[in-house]
Amino acid sequence: MFHPLQRRPPAGIYWWGARSGPAQALRSRYQRLLGWLQKEPEKCPGPKSLLALLASQCSYVTGQRVRRAQQVGQLYGDIYSERARWSLFRCLWRRFQARHAGACKLMAALAGVFLWEEERIREEELRRSAEEMKHMEEVSRLFQGSGGEHQKLVSKTHVDLTAAREEHPWEMVMDKKHFKLWRRPIQGTHLFQYRVFGTYTDVTPRQFFNVQLDTEYRKKWDSLVIKLDVIERDLSTGSEVVHWVTHFPYPMYSRDYVYVRRYSVDQENNLMVLVSRAVDHPGIPEDPEFVRVRTYESQMVIRPHKTFDENGFDYLLTYSDNPQTVFPRYCVSWMVSSESA
């Protein structure tokens, strides 16, 4: 037995009654309508028919919106070029990501999509590395121009002018003629960030730079490499996602890195820059056979003595990572200095 709900009738009934006569006529018509619903429930729409009506209405609204979107897309296609349309689409996508950043990342992870807009290396990062190289060159000239005890005092520590105020100054670990190594503690951790400033005189800058980029060649000369592959490339900036698996001393597990890198060859300022940092990629899940290194940053800047294809250059390498080891600090410092030398 269908029991109608006691609810207010649609506003249209009141409007129709008000147009037909005074309030008494409205009340009379409302009572007749209510009696009809109570006496003949079989003529009223059932739950199934109400759902069908709702589904039909939703389908109609959705169809209208899809057709409207097609019309807008066709209009923009007639007015703008393909490049302008893609630019507009990226702008709208960035706005959508700004409002729904968390949802976008979740959807991308579920769909196995890497968000280049969020993770790519920015121009500011390349420029900051170049500025650090210029500062180190000034420090190097200061070393050469200082003599005796003053040179030892200056070379012991130096302040990075490009760093934030709360960061520690660099402390020298090794000081050789063509190789200098500093370190400084990373705020809030037990880790150190390392900086190497060195010189080569028997190899060209381009050869050295290509060795850093060539993953296939590294597999041949680096016996510690288990896997080293470029997973994905960003066509707009040249950034790459790299998966690197490397041996660690027994009995520790091997480590694997997933990082994005980008390079720049600045002909005008005579510089080569390579910046890398760890990222998460949905296509490279963690492997129980390896320990995933999630904290990793590297910035390398090369300054040729003359040109990119003539022997001789200076380089600056700033590096930090967290390989999740339990070595004492002095052991880590010794290994870093040994590998760098």
Side-chain angles (χ1 to χ4, degrees):
M1 187 65 180
F2 178 73
H3 298 283
L5 298 175
Q6 299 297 324
R7 58 184 180 183
R8 179 178 176 178
I13 297 178
Y14 290 98
W15 176 83
W16 173 69
R19 292 284 299 265
S20 303
Q24 185 66 28
L26 174 62
R27 191 178 299 108
S28 176
R29 289 184 175 86
Y30 173 68
Q31 289 175 351
R32 285 201 298 270
L33 175 61
L34 187 60
W36 177 78
L37 291 173
Q38 292 175 344
K39 290 179 181 179
E40 302 185 28
E42 66 276 1
K43 295 183 181 181
C44 298
K48 293 184 179 180
S49 61
L50 286 175
L51 291 176
L53 181 63
L54 178 61
S56 177
Q57 184 69 13
C58 292
S59 177
Y60 172 77
V61 173
T62 303
Q64 288 285 351
R65 294 188 175 182
V66 170
R67 283 191 291 273
R68 179 63 61 85
Q70 291 175 343
Q71 292 172 356
V72 171
Q74 184 177 2
L75 176 62
Y76 276 100
D78 295 337
I79 296 176
Y80 299 102
S81 64
E82 182 178 0
R83 183 175 181 180
R85 292 197 300 272
W86 275 109
S87 178
L88 176 63
F89 174 77
R90 286 193 293 268
C91 180
L92 294 175
W93 176 247
R94 283 194 295 269
R95 290 186 179 181
F96 179 79
Q97 283 183 313
R99 294 184 179 181
H100 310 282
C104 288
K105 290 183 179 180
L106 178 60
M107 292 172 59
L110 294 176
V113 178
F114 183 70
L115 296 178
W116 279 109
E117 188 62 32
E118 299 288 336
E119 303 292 354
R120 66 166 56 102
I121 303 293
R122 307 288 178 181
E123 290 286 345
E124 294 78 13
E125 297 178 67
L126 299 176
R127 186 164 50 252
R128 190 183 309 119
S129 298
E131 292 174 356
E132 291 175 355
M133 180 62 174
K134 294 178 182 178
H135 172 60
M136 283 304 304
E137 290 172 334
E138 295 175 358
V139 173
S140 178
R141 285 194 293 269
L142 183 61
F143 290 164
Q144 297 172 2
S146 302
E149 295 299 324
H150 183 61
Q151 180 179 357
K152 295 180 181 179
L153 178 62
V154 173
S155 62
K156 186 66 176 178
T157 61
H158 80 272
V159 179
D160 187 353
L161 298 180
T162 63
R165 292 183 177 179
E166 63 272 10
E167 291 183 338
H168 295 278
W170 294 94
E171 174 191 1
M172 178 159 284
V173 178
M174 183 177 295
D175 185 5
K176 295 184 178 180
K177 182 178 180 181
H178 297 299
F179 179 86
K180 301 182 187 299
L181 172 64
W182 293 268
R183 71 175 186 179
R184 68 178 176 186
I186 300 175
Q187 291 285 344
T189 71
H190 66 284
L191 304 173
F192 284 91
Q193 185 180 27
Y194 294 90
R195 169 164 288 180
V196 177
F197 185 70
T199 301
Y200 282 104
T201 58
D202 56 350
V203 65
T204 69
R206 195 180 302 276
Q207 290 172 339
F208 183 80
F209 196 63
N210 289 339
V211 168
Q212 308 301 319
L213 296 175
D214 193 341
T215 56
E216 293 302 320
Y217 180 59
R218 180 162 185 174
K219 295 176 185 178
K220 298 177 181 178
W221 64 262
D222 190 351
S223 59
L224 296 178
V225 170
I226 301 175
K227 182 178 181 181
L228 183 59
D229 297 312
V230 176
I231 304 301
E232 189 173 340
R233 288 183 173 88
D234 178 26
L235 298 179
S236 63
T237 63
S239 298
E240 299 174 328
V241 176
V242 181
H243 185 208
W244 172 34
V245 184
T246 182
H247 285 290
F248 256 55
Y250 181 83
M252 293 186 295
Y253 283 91
S254 298
R255 264 53 176 175
D256 79 324
Y257 297 71
V258 180
Y259 61 93
V260 58
R261 71 179 184 181
R262 181 181 176 184
Y263 69 90
S264 172
V265 178
D266 189 345
Q267 299 281 354
E268 181 178 354
N269 295 306
N270 205 31
L271 282 176
M272 292 173 161
V273 183
L274 175 61
V275 177
S276 307
R277 54 176 163 75
V279 293
D280 289 323
H281 193 288
I284 314 174
E286 291 192 48
D287 191 321
E289 295 184 4
F290 311 125
V291 175
R292 174 64 53 87
V293 177
R294 297 192 172 277
T295 303
Y296 165 69
E297 289 185 358
S298 173
Q299 301 92 33
M300 174 175 283
V301 186
I302 298 173
R303 168 83 74 184
H305 291 168
K306 296 180 180 178
T307 67
F308 294 129
D309 296 304
E310 296 182 73
N311 287 349
F313 63 90
D314 298 327
Y315 71 94
L316 174 66
L317 173 63
T318 306
Y319 176 91
S320 66
D321 75 340
N322 182 10
Q324 303 181 52
T325 59
V326 292
F327 291 127
R329 289 184 179 182
Y330 66 88
C331 291
V332 175
S333 299
W334 175 81
M335 288 188 291
V336 171
S337 61
S338 300
E339 293 178 1
S340 302

